[in-house]
Amino acid sequence: MTGKTRNSMAAIMTILVTVVMWMTAVIGLVVLLAGAVELVSMLSGSAVNLGAIKIDDHEITLPELIAGLAGVAVVVAAVVFVCLELRRILATLADGDPFVPENAARLTRIAIAIAITQLMRYAIAIIMGFVVHGARLELSVDLIAWASVAALFILSQVFREGTRLRDEEKMTI
């Protein structure tokens, strides 16, 4: 047999990442749709009836709802994006050649996506602090997320250097 054997752990991880991606997308879509129905109810000033479901009890304010929907949209988009990039990385691992230049770029994009998600979280919190809470800010720093960003940038450099070294080794006789 001359064909490469596929990495079974990469195949299992690909399935897990795909399940997480689709679960996040479906749950996010349900939350966004429910929020949109609540938004319509709030803006119309009347109850919304969806069969046996009646929506007329507004426990949150309109700015809080909009901020919540924006937060859900950002997080869902980021998780789906990260999962797609991870699937591409896992595909190269399954093929037996993960040290390709594209994976370094993918790790960098994942780091940037997580950083942007955190920055958007701060922006939403700042806006909410001014709009809803009268300039009272409550920011928290997610050290795990920022450590993950740093680790991903480091790993992307490791992949770049590993790819370079492998290419140099191929050129030596």
Side-chain angles (χ1 to χ4, degrees), residues 44-111:
S44 70
S46 62
V48 172
N49 291 312
L50 301 171
I53 301 171
K54 182 178 180 184
I55 300 170
D56 66 349
D57 186 24
H58 308 298
E59 295 180 13
I60 62 172
T61 65
L62 183 61
E64 289 172 327
L65 177 61
I66 292 170
L69 291 175
V72 168
V74 167
V75 169
V76 169
V79 170
V80 169
F81 176 78
V82 167
C83 287
L84 288 170
E85 291 295 312
L86 287 174
R87 285 175 41 147
R88 290 180 185 112
I89 291 171
L90 287 166
T92 64
L93 179 61
D95 289 341
D97 190 17
F99 287 99
V100 294
E102 294 83 11
N103 282 349
R106 289 177 182 127
L107 288 169
T108 299
R109 287 193 296 267
I110 292 170

Side-chain angles (χ1 to χ4, degrees), residues 93-157:
L93 179 61
D95 289 341
D97 190 17
F99 287 99
V100 294
E102 294 83 11
N103 282 349
R106 289 177 182 127
L107 288 169
T108 299
R109 287 193 296 267
I110 292 170
I112 291 168
I114 294 171
I116 289 172
T117 302
Q118 289 302 303
L119 294 173
M120 291 296 293
R121 189 173 69 89
Y122 298 148
I124 290 169
I126 289 168
I127 292 168
M128 288 300 296
F130 282 107
V131 172
V132 176
H133 304 295
R136 191 185 83 215
L137 296 178
E138 293 183 22
L139 290 177
S140 64
V141 176
D142 187 350
L143 293 178
I144 297 295
W146 288 111
S148 298
V149 168
L152 285 164
F153 277 125
I154 291 166
L155 285 173
S156 73
Q157 292 305 310

